[in-house]
Amino acid sequence: MSNLQLRVISAVVLAVIALGLTWLGGLPFRLLCAAMVAMIFYEWTRMSRPVTPHGLGFLPEALAVVFIGALIAGLPAFWLLLLAVILIAVTAIAALVRQTGQWEASGLAYASVSGLSLALLRDGDHAGLVAILFLFAVVWATDIFAYFVGRAVGGPKLAPAISPGKTRSGALGGAVGGVVAGVTLAAVAGAGNLALLGLVALVLSIVAQAGDLFESWVKRRHGRKDSGVLIPGHGGVMDRVDGLVAAALALYVIGWISAGADHPAQGLFPI
């Protein structure tokens, strides 16, 4: 079986699981977010943790478990955000005292914000369901169109020092595909503010591609080709969700501005 076939099969299986748990919402979706936090943190630390006896021991893992427990329990946004800030600050201070660098703290921040944004976006209502489906549509279409347009058109590289395979034509194709997919999903769901959502989709597509480049930079910084080996054809979980978690944070912030931290989707999808 070719690598492309493995990628397609893995992507389809993951999409089915993600869509099913998104439809259920509530605890099943929070468990998905918690699993994502755990795997992202594991892969991040596996890449960045120095092989020395002078690290932070199991402190970062213990703090990550505390956050995961709070996420599963469904804490309100204020307390979940406050807890994340406190845990990240504790990790950063401990790293400063032990002089181990700040990769542990940045990994906990990256992982916790990823799960937090998705869980709070989904919430428990119809608007949350549409928000996550909108997010999926934009990010997945961006990935697909960027890949195929980049291969078909080629041209100048987007960021050759970070990710040599990405092209400017692919980035533009991904952005167009993301906007079309996002607006189409919003129209089918019955949203009325399609012009605004088209602009939001464009922002999410750009942020998703930036998130992809950021994860590529982290891997290159630590001499890794993939973040892990869990997903056949894709590598690790971070390799699969790098753009998604960046776009989720952006959509959560936009929703927070429009409707508040606890129910961010309702400001964008008042259906």
Side-chain angles (χ1 to χ4, degrees):
M1 186 177 293
S2 69
N3 186 63
L4 178 59
Q5 290 174 318
L6 281 174
R7 286 179 63 88
V8 171
I9 293 172
S10 298
V12 170
V13 171
L14 290 173
V16 170
I17 294 172
L19 290 171
L21 294 176
T22 299
W23 179 267
L24 292 173
L27 179 59
F29 188 76
R30 292 199 303 273
L31 288 171
L32 173 65
C33 295
M36 187 181 300
V37 171
M39 290 307 303
I40 288 175
F41 186 68
Y42 169 75
E43 291 180 353
W44 182 290
T45 54
R46 182 173 172 269
M47 285 193 296
S48 64
R49 183 168 289 169
V51 186
T52 69
H54 306 296
L56 300 180
F58 290 105
L59 176 64
E61 282 80 359
L63 298 180
V65 169
V66 171
F67 178 80
I68 290 170
L71 185 65
I72 294 173
L75 258 62
F78 173 80
W79 295 110
L80 200 57
L81 287 163
L82 180 61
L83 178 63
V85 170
I86 292 172
L87 297 179
I88 294 164
V90 169
T91 308
I93 293 169
L96 186 63
V97 171
R98 295 295 299 272
Q99 298 182 336
T100 61
Q102 293 298 329
W103 284 102
E104 302 276 5
S106 58
L108 184 58
Y110 184 76
S112 58
V113 168
S114 301
L116 179 151
S117 299
L118 286 166
L120 294 177
L121 273 171
R122 177 59 182 91
D123 201 15
D125 55 19
H126 184 64
L129 172 62
V130 175
I132 295 296
L133 294 178
F134 176 81
L135 176 69
F136 286 166
V138 172
V139 174
W140 292 348
T142 296
D143 285 348
I144 293 169
F145 277 79
Y147 177 78
F148 286 106
V149 171
R151 285 177 62 91
V153 178
K157 300 298 183 181
L158 178 64
I162 300 174
S163 184
K166 290 180 172 58
T167 62
R168 297 177 187 176
S169 62
L172 179 59
V176 172
V179 171
V180 171
V183 171
T184 301
L185 187 284
V188 170
N193 49 344
L194 295 182
L196 173 61
L197 291 175
L199 179 59
V200 171
L202 177 59
V203 171
L204 296 185
S205 181
I206 294 171
V207 171
Q209 296 188 62
D212 192 345
L213 289 174
F214 171 72
E215 197 248 355
S216 295
W217 174 80
V218 171
K219 290 189 296 185
R220 184 170 290 271
R221 171 68 173 74
H222 296 287
R224 297 296 185 95
K225 180 180 182 295
D226 297 315
S227 65
V229 296
L230 181 64
I231 306 173
H234 291 276
V237 172
M238 283 178 60
D239 296 316
R240 183 63 268 174
V241 303
D242 46 10
L244 177 67
V245 297
L249 175 59
L251 185 58
Y252 177 68
V253 171
I254 294 170
W256 184 347
I257 293 170
S258 62
D262 282 298
H263 307 287
Q266 292 182 4
L268 293 169
F269 302 97
I271 300 170

mmCIF file of all heavy atoms in Angstrom, residues 26-27 29-31 33-35 37 61-87 108 112 115-116 119-120:
data_model
loop_
_atom_site.group_PDB
_atom_site.id
_atom_site.type_symbol
_atom_site.label_atom_id
_atom_site.label_comp_id
_atom_site.label_asym_id
_atom_site.label_seq_id
_atom_site.Cartn_x
_atom_site.Cartn_y
_atom_site.Cartn_z
ATOM 1 N N GLY A 26 -20.910 17.280 24.176
ATOM 2 C CA GLY A 26 -20.848 16.958 25.589
ATOM 3 C C GLY A 26 -19.590 16.219 25.989
ATOM 4 O O GLY A 26 -18.482 16.497 25.510
ATOM 5 N N LEU A 27 -19.753 15.238 26.872
ATOM 6 C CA LEU A 27 -18.625 14.477 27.394
ATOM 7 C C LEU A 27 -17.843 13.746 26.307
ATOM 8 O O LEU A 27 -16.604 13.762 26.332
ATOM 9 C CB LEU A 27 -19.097 13.494 28.457
ATOM 10 C CG LEU A 27 -18.023 12.605 29.083
ATOM 11 C CD1 LEU A 27 -16.950 13.445 29.750
ATOM 12 C CD2 LEU A 27 -18.647 11.624 30.074
ATOM 13 N N PHE A 29 -17.232 14.571 23.253
ATOM 14 C CA PHE A 29 -16.365 15.512 22.535
ATOM 15 C C PHE A 29 -15.262 16.028 23.447
ATOM 16 O O PHE A 29 -14.121 16.219 23.008
ATOM 17 C CB PHE A 29 -17.182 16.679 21.982
ATOM 18 C CG PHE A 29 -16.381 17.580 21.079
ATOM 19 C CD1 PHE A 29 -16.077 17.184 19.788
ATOM 20 C CD2 PHE A 29 -15.919 18.812 21.520
ATOM 21 C CE1 PHE A 29 -15.322 18.002 18.944
ATOM 22 C CE2 PHE A 29 -15.171 19.631 20.697
ATOM 23 C CZ PHE A 29 -14.879 19.224 19.404
ATOM 24 N N ARG A 30 -15.581 16.255 24.727
ATOM 25 C CA ARG A 30 -14.539 16.694 25.658
ATOM 26 C C ARG A 30 -13.482 15.615 25.838
ATOM 27 O O ARG A 30 -12.296 15.926 26.004
ATOM 28 C CB ARG A 30 -15.146 17.081 27.008
ATOM 29 C CG ARG A 30 -16.009 18.326 26.969
ATOM 30 C CD ARG A 30 -16.205 18.928 28.354
ATOM 31 N NE ARG A 30 -16.779 18.000 29.308
ATOM 32 C CZ ARG A 30 -18.079 17.801 29.485
ATOM 33 N NH1 ARG A 30 -18.957 18.472 28.739
ATOM 34 N NH2 ARG A 30 -18.527 16.958 30.395
ATOM 35 N N LEU A 31 -13.888 14.354 25.799
ATOM 36 C CA LEU A 31 -12.909 13.268 25.876
ATOM 37 C C LEU A 31 -11.995 13.279 24.653
ATOM 38 O O LEU A 31 -10.786 13.013 24.764
ATOM 39 C CB LEU A 31 -13.620 11.915 25.989
ATOM 40 C CG LEU A 31 -14.297 11.632 27.335
ATOM 41 C CD1 LEU A 31 -15.143 10.366 27.251
ATOM 42 C CD2 LEU A 31 -13.255 11.501 28.444
ATOM 43 N N CYS A 33 -11.193 15.981 22.962
ATOM 44 C CA CYS A 33 -10.296 17.114 23.193
ATOM 45 C C CYS A 33 -9.223 16.765 24.210
ATOM 46 O O CYS A 33 -8.053 17.142 24.048
ATOM 47 C CB CYS A 33 -11.096 18.320 23.672
ATOM 48 S SG CYS A 33 -12.274 18.967 22.452
ATOM 49 N N ALA A 34 -9.601 16.043 25.273
ATOM 50 C CA ALA A 34 -8.638 15.647 26.297
ATOM 51 C C ALA A 34 -7.579 14.720 25.720
ATOM 52 O O ALA A 34 -6.379 14.850 26.027
ATOM 53 C CB ALA A 34 -9.364 14.968 27.453
ATOM 54 N N ALA A 35 -8.001 13.772 24.890
ATOM 55 C CA ALA A 35 -7.048 12.867 24.247
ATOM 56 C C ALA A 35 -6.096 13.639 23.346
ATOM 57 O O ALA A 35 -4.885 13.348 23.288
ATOM 58 C CB ALA A 35 -7.794 11.803 23.448
ATOM 59 N N VAL A 37 -5.165 16.796 23.761
ATOM 60 C CA VAL A 37 -4.225 17.492 24.645
ATOM 61 C C VAL A 37 -3.112 16.550 25.085
ATOM 62 O O VAL A 37 -1.921 16.897 25.036
ATOM 63 C CB VAL A 37 -4.957 18.067 25.880
ATOM 64 C CG1 VAL A 37 -3.949 18.597 26.899
ATOM 65 C CG2 VAL A 37 -5.912 19.170 25.470
ATOM 66 N N GLU A 61 4.011 16.594 33.345
ATOM 67 C CA GLU A 61 2.982 15.592 33.110
ATOM 68 C C GLU A 61 1.868 15.682 34.157
ATOM 69 O O GLU A 61 0.685 15.572 33.834
ATOM 70 C CB GLU A 61 3.591 14.186 33.134
ATOM 71 C CG GLU A 61 4.325 13.790 31.876
ATOM 72 C CD GLU A 61 5.730 14.361 31.800
ATOM 73 O OE1 GLU A 61 6.138 15.086 32.735
ATOM 74 O OE2 GLU A 61 6.430 14.086 30.805
ATOM 75 N N ALA A 62 2.248 15.905 35.419
ATOM 76 C CA ALA A 62 1.252 16.027 36.490
ATOM 77 C C ALA A 62 0.344 17.234 36.247
ATOM 78 O O ALA A 62 -0.884 17.148 36.420
ATOM 79 C CB ALA A 62 1.950 16.148 37.844
ATOM 80 N N LEU A 63 0.918 18.349 35.830
ATOM 81 C CA LEU A 63 0.127 19.542 35.564
ATOM 82 C C LEU A 63 -0.770 19.344 34.347
ATOM 83 O O LEU A 63 -1.912 19.821 34.324
ATOM 84 C CB LEU A 63 1.050 20.747 35.360
ATOM 85 C CG LEU A 63 1.919 21.130 36.566
ATOM 86 C CD1 LEU A 63 2.792 22.326 36.233
ATOM 87 C CD2 LEU A 63 1.051 21.427 37.777
ATOM 88 N N ALA A 64 -0.263 18.632 33.347
ATOM 89 C CA ALA A 64 -1.086 18.334 32.176
ATOM 90 C C ALA A 64 -2.280 17.471 32.558
ATOM 91 O O ALA A 64 -3.398 17.673 32.060
ATOM 92 C CB ALA A 64 -0.243 17.634 31.106
ATOM 93 N N VAL A 65 -2.069 16.506 33.451
ATOM 94 C CA VAL A 65 -3.168 15.652 33.914
ATOM 95 C C VAL A 65 -4.221 16.474 34.655
ATOM 96 O O VAL A 65 -5.426 16.256 34.499
ATOM 97 C CB VAL A 65 -2.628 14.520 34.814
ATOM 98 C CG1 VAL A 65 -3.767 13.798 35.519
ATOM 99 C CG2 VAL A 65 -1.823 13.527 33.979
ATOM 100 N N VAL A 66 -3.774 17.441 35.459
ATOM 101 C CA VAL A 66 -4.715 18.321 36.163
ATOM 102 C C VAL A 66 -5.584 19.075 35.157
ATOM 103 O O VAL A 66 -6.812 19.159 35.309
ATOM 104 C CB VAL A 66 -3.957 19.323 37.062
ATOM 105 C CG1 VAL A 66 -4.908 20.383 37.616
ATOM 106 C CG2 VAL A 66 -3.275 18.595 38.210
ATOM 107 N N PHE A 67 -4.954 19.616 34.111
ATOM 108 C CA PHE A 67 -5.721 20.360 33.112
ATOM 109 C C PHE A 67 -6.683 19.439 32.364
ATOM 110 O O PHE A 67 -7.840 19.800 32.122
ATOM 111 C CB PHE A 67 -4.790 21.047 32.107
ATOM 112 C CG PHE A 67 -5.540 21.786 31.028
ATOM 113 C CD1 PHE A 67 -6.058 23.041 31.289
ATOM 114 C CD2 PHE A 67 -5.756 21.212 29.781
ATOM 115 C CE1 PHE A 67 -6.781 23.720 30.310
ATOM 116 C CE2 PHE A 67 -6.474 21.871 28.817
ATOM 117 C CZ PHE A 67 -6.987 23.136 29.074
ATOM 118 N N ILE A 68 -6.218 18.259 31.999
ATOM 119 C CA ILE A 68 -7.070 17.312 31.286
ATOM 120 C C ILE A 68 -8.288 16.937 32.122
ATOM 121 O O ILE A 68 -9.420 16.861 31.621
ATOM 122 C CB ILE A 68 -6.260 16.057 30.889
ATOM 123 C CG1 ILE A 68 -5.259 16.416 29.784
ATOM 124 C CG2 ILE A 68 -7.176 14.922 30.440
ATOM 125 C CD1 ILE A 68 -4.259 15.325 29.490
ATOM 126 N N GLY A 69 -8.086 16.732 33.414
ATOM 127 C CA GLY A 69 -9.202 16.427 34.297
ATOM 128 C C GLY A 69 -10.220 17.555 34.332
ATOM 129 O O GLY A 69 -11.439 17.319 34.306
ATOM 130 N N ALA A 70 -9.741 18.798 34.394
ATOM 131 C CA ALA A 70 -10.634 19.954 34.411
ATOM 132 C C ALA A 70 -11.387 20.084 33.093
ATOM 133 O O ALA A 70 -12.574 20.446 33.069
ATOM 134 C CB ALA A 70 -9.834 21.223 34.687
ATOM 135 N N LEU A 71 -10.710 19.771 32.002
ATOM 136 C CA LEU A 71 -11.350 19.842 30.686
ATOM 137 C C LEU A 71 -12.472 18.816 30.577
ATOM 138 O O LEU A 71 -13.575 19.119 30.105
ATOM 139 C CB LEU A 71 -10.292 19.601 29.605
ATOM 140 C CG LEU A 71 -10.741 19.761 28.145
ATOM 141 C CD1 LEU A 71 -11.118 21.205 27.858
ATOM 142 C CD2 LEU A 71 -9.626 19.312 27.201
ATOM 143 N N ILE A 72 -12.207 17.599 31.014
ATOM 144 C CA ILE A 72 -13.218 16.542 30.973
ATOM 145 C C ILE A 72 -14.400 16.886 31.883
ATOM 146 O O ILE A 72 -15.560 16.630 31.543
ATOM 147 C CB ILE A 72 -12.604 15.192 31.381
ATOM 148 C CG1 ILE A 72 -11.579 14.753 30.323
ATOM 149 C CG2 ILE A 72 -13.681 14.118 31.535
ATOM 150 C CD1 ILE A 72 -10.789 13.512 30.719
ATOM 151 N N ALA A 73 -14.106 17.496 33.027
ATOM 152 C CA ALA A 73 -15.157 17.850 33.978
ATOM 153 C C ALA A 73 -16.061 18.958 33.457
ATOM 154 O O ALA A 73 -17.156 19.168 33.988
ATOM 155 C CB ALA A 73 -14.537 18.268 35.304
ATOM 156 N N GLY A 74 -15.625 19.683 32.427
ATOM 157 C CA GLY A 74 -16.455 20.727 31.840
ATOM 158 C C GLY A 74 -16.475 22.025 32.625
ATOM 159 O O GLY A 74 -17.515 22.680 32.724
ATOM 160 N N LEU A 75 -15.332 22.428 33.186
ATOM 161 C CA LEU A 75 -15.265 23.689 33.903
ATOM 162 C C LEU A 75 -15.667 24.856 33.006
ATOM 163 O O LEU A 75 -15.392 24.836 31.797
ATOM 164 C CB LEU A 75 -13.843 23.928 34.424
ATOM 165 C CG LEU A 75 -13.590 23.657 35.910
ATOM 166 C CD1 LEU A 75 -13.841 22.176 36.210
ATOM 167 C CD2 LEU A 75 -12.172 24.066 36.283
ATOM 168 N N PRO A 76 -16.293 25.881 33.566
ATOM 169 C CA PRO A 76 -16.620 27.080 32.783
ATOM 170 C C PRO A 76 -15.357 27.707 32.199
ATOM 171 O O PRO A 76 -14.245 27.501 32.704
ATOM 172 C CB PRO A 76 -17.285 28.010 33.802
ATOM 173 C CG PRO A 76 -17.800 27.099 34.859
ATOM 174 C CD PRO A 76 -16.820 25.963 34.936
ATOM 175 N N ALA A 77 -15.529 28.512 31.161
ATOM 176 C CA ALA A 77 -14.399 29.066 30.429
ATOM 177 C C ALA A 77 -13.449 29.848 31.329
ATOM 178 O O ALA A 77 -12.227 29.696 31.230
ATOM 179 C CB ALA A 77 -14.902 29.957 29.292
ATOM 180 N N PHE A 78 -13.990 30.693 32.208
ATOM 181 C CA PHE A 78 -13.129 31.526 33.052
ATOM 182 C C PHE A 78 -12.189 30.674 33.885
ATOM 183 O O PHE A 78 -10.976 30.927 33.944
ATOM 184 C CB PHE A 78 -13.987 32.408 33.970
ATOM 185 C CG PHE A 78 -13.170 33.181 34.985
ATOM 186 C CD1 PHE A 78 -12.518 34.346 34.616
ATOM 187 C CD2 PHE A 78 -13.039 32.723 36.295
ATOM 188 C CE1 PHE A 78 -11.753 35.048 35.545
ATOM 189 C CE2 PHE A 78 -12.278 33.418 37.218
ATOM 190 C CZ PHE A 78 -11.629 34.586 36.842
ATOM 191 N N TRP A 79 -12.729 29.657 34.552
ATOM 192 C CA TRP A 79 -11.915 28.830 35.434
ATOM 193 C C TRP A 79 -10.946 27.953 34.647
ATOM 194 O O TRP A 79 -9.815 27.704 35.086
ATOM 195 C CB TRP A 79 -12.815 27.973 36.326
ATOM 196 C CG TRP A 79 -13.631 28.793 37.255
ATOM 197 C CD1 TRP A 79 -14.975 29.002 37.219
ATOM 198 C CD2 TRP A 79 -13.143 29.580 38.353
ATOM 199 N NE1 TRP A 79 -15.366 29.859 38.214
ATOM 200 C CE2 TRP A 79 -14.263 30.227 38.942
ATOM 201 C CE3 TRP A 79 -11.882 29.795 38.912
ATOM 202 C CZ2 TRP A 79 -14.149 31.067 40.040
ATOM 203 C CZ3 TRP A 79 -11.765 30.641 40.013
ATOM 204 C CH2 TRP A 79 -12.889 31.261 40.561
ATOM 205 N N LEU A 80 -11.376 27.500 33.476
ATOM 206 C CA LEU A 80 -10.498 26.680 32.649
ATOM 207 C C LEU A 80 -9.328 27.510 32.125
ATOM 208 O O LEU A 80 -8.171 27.059 32.129
ATOM 209 C CB LEU A 80 -11.296 26.087 31.488
ATOM 210 C CG LEU A 80 -10.720 24.851 30.791
ATOM 211 C CD1 LEU A 80 -10.485 23.718 31.785
ATOM 212 C CD2 LEU A 80 -11.672 24.387 29.687
ATOM 213 N N LEU A 81 -9.623 28.734 31.692
ATOM 214 C CA LEU A 81 -8.563 29.625 31.218
ATOM 215 C C LEU A 81 -7.621 30.003 32.356
ATOM 216 O O LEU A 81 -6.389 30.006 32.182
ATOM 217 C CB LEU A 81 -9.185 30.883 30.616
ATOM 218 C CG LEU A 81 -9.864 30.718 29.251
ATOM 219 C CD1 LEU A 81 -10.783 31.893 28.960
ATOM 220 C CD2 LEU A 81 -8.818 30.580 28.149
ATOM 221 N N LEU A 82 -8.184 30.308 33.523
ATOM 222 C CA LEU A 82 -7.357 30.662 34.669
ATOM 223 C C LEU A 82 -6.456 29.501 35.077
ATOM 224 O O LEU A 82 -5.261 29.683 35.356
ATOM 225 C CB LEU A 82 -8.247 31.073 35.844
ATOM 226 C CG LEU A 82 -7.517 31.468 37.141
ATOM 227 C CD1 LEU A 82 -6.609 32.663 36.901
ATOM 228 C CD2 LEU A 82 -8.527 31.758 38.242
ATOM 229 N N LEU A 83 -7.026 28.305 35.086
ATOM 230 C CA LEU A 83 -6.234 27.127 35.440
ATOM 231 C C LEU A 83 -5.091 26.924 34.456
ATOM 232 O O LEU A 83 -3.952 26.635 34.855
ATOM 233 C CB LEU A 83 -7.133 25.882 35.465
ATOM 234 C CG LEU A 83 -6.430 24.552 35.776
ATOM 235 C CD1 LEU A 83 -5.829 24.574 37.171
ATOM 236 C CD2 LEU A 83 -7.405 23.381 35.622
ATOM 237 N N ALA A 84 -5.389 27.072 33.162
ATOM 238 C CA ALA A 84 -4.347 26.908 32.147
ATOM 239 C C ALA A 84 -3.218 27.908 32.365
ATOM 240 O O ALA A 84 -2.026 27.549 32.305
ATOM 241 C CB ALA A 84 -4.941 27.068 30.750
ATOM 242 N N VAL A 85 -3.565 29.168 32.639
ATOM 243 C CA VAL A 85 -2.547 30.203 32.872
ATOM 244 C C VAL A 85 -1.686 29.856 34.092
ATOM 245 O O VAL A 85 -0.452 29.964 34.056
ATOM 246 C CB VAL A 85 -3.216 31.579 33.064
ATOM 247 C CG1 VAL A 85 -2.196 32.615 33.554
ATOM 248 C CG2 VAL A 85 -3.842 32.047 31.761
ATOM 249 N N ILE A 86 -2.332 29.407 35.160
ATOM 250 C CA ILE A 86 -1.595 29.065 36.389
ATOM 251 C C ILE A 86 -0.649 27.892 36.145
ATOM 252 O O ILE A 86 0.526 27.921 36.535
ATOM 253 C CB ILE A 86 -2.574 28.733 37.530
ATOM 254 C CG1 ILE A 86 -3.328 29.991 37.960
ATOM 255 C CG2 ILE A 86 -1.835 28.122 38.726
ATOM 256 C CD1 ILE A 86 -4.445 29.734 38.943
ATOM 257 N N LEU A 87 -1.135 26.844 35.487
ATOM 258 C CA LEU A 87 -0.311 25.658 35.254
ATOM 259 C C LEU A 87 0.871 25.972 34.340
ATOM 260 O O LEU A 87 1.994 25.492 34.560
ATOM 261 C CB LEU A 87 -1.166 24.544 34.649
ATOM 262 C CG LEU A 87 -2.302 24.020 35.535
ATOM 263 C CD1 LEU A 87 -3.081 22.929 34.800
ATOM 264 C CD2 LEU A 87 -1.771 23.504 36.863
ATOM 265 N N LEU A 108 3.026 22.771 27.101
ATOM 266 C CA LEU A 108 1.794 22.721 27.883
ATOM 267 C C LEU A 108 0.821 23.791 27.402
ATOM 268 O O LEU A 108 -0.395 23.546 27.325
ATOM 269 C CB LEU A 108 2.115 22.924 29.368
ATOM 270 C CG LEU A 108 0.932 22.811 30.332
ATOM 271 C CD1 LEU A 108 0.250 21.450 30.212
ATOM 272 C CD2 LEU A 108 1.386 23.045 31.769
ATOM 273 N N SER A 112 -2.739 22.670 25.860
ATOM 274 C CA SER A 112 -3.941 23.034 26.622
ATOM 275 C C SER A 112 -4.822 24.002 25.853
ATOM 276 O O SER A 112 -6.058 23.854 25.846
ATOM 277 C CB SER A 112 -3.543 23.645 27.974
ATOM 278 O OG SER A 112 -2.733 24.788 27.807
ATOM 279 N N GLY A 115 -6.925 22.008 23.162
ATOM 280 C CA GLY A 115 -8.114 21.324 23.654
ATOM 281 C C GLY A 115 -9.153 22.273 24.179
ATOM 282 O O GLY A 115 -10.361 22.089 23.972
ATOM 283 N N LEU A 116 -8.712 23.325 24.858
ATOM 284 C CA LEU A 116 -9.627 24.316 25.432
ATOM 285 C C LEU A 116 -10.444 25.000 24.343
ATOM 286 O O LEU A 116 -11.675 25.139 24.473
ATOM 287 C CB LEU A 116 -8.805 25.330 26.221
ATOM 288 C CG LEU A 116 -9.476 26.494 26.921
ATOM 289 C CD1 LEU A 116 -8.641 26.894 28.137
ATOM 290 C CD2 LEU A 116 -9.610 27.695 26.002
ATOM 291 N N ALA A 119 -13.068 22.537 22.836
ATOM 292 C CA ALA A 119 -14.123 22.169 23.780
ATOM 293 C C ALA A 119 -15.087 23.319 24.014
ATOM 294 O O ALA A 119 -16.316 23.126 24.045
ATOM 295 C CB ALA A 119 -13.507 21.722 25.097
ATOM 296 N N LEU A 120 -14.573 24.537 24.167
ATOM 297 C CA LEU A 120 -15.434 25.678 24.435
ATOM 298 C C LEU A 120 -16.187 26.121 23.181
ATOM 299 O O LEU A 120 -17.303 26.645 23.277
ATOM 300 C CB LEU A 120 -14.617 26.836 25.005
ATOM 301 C CG LEU A 120 -14.015 26.574 26.391
ATOM 302 C CD1 LEU A 120 -13.165 27.755 26.840
ATOM 303 C CD2 LEU A 120 -15.114 26.298 27.417
#
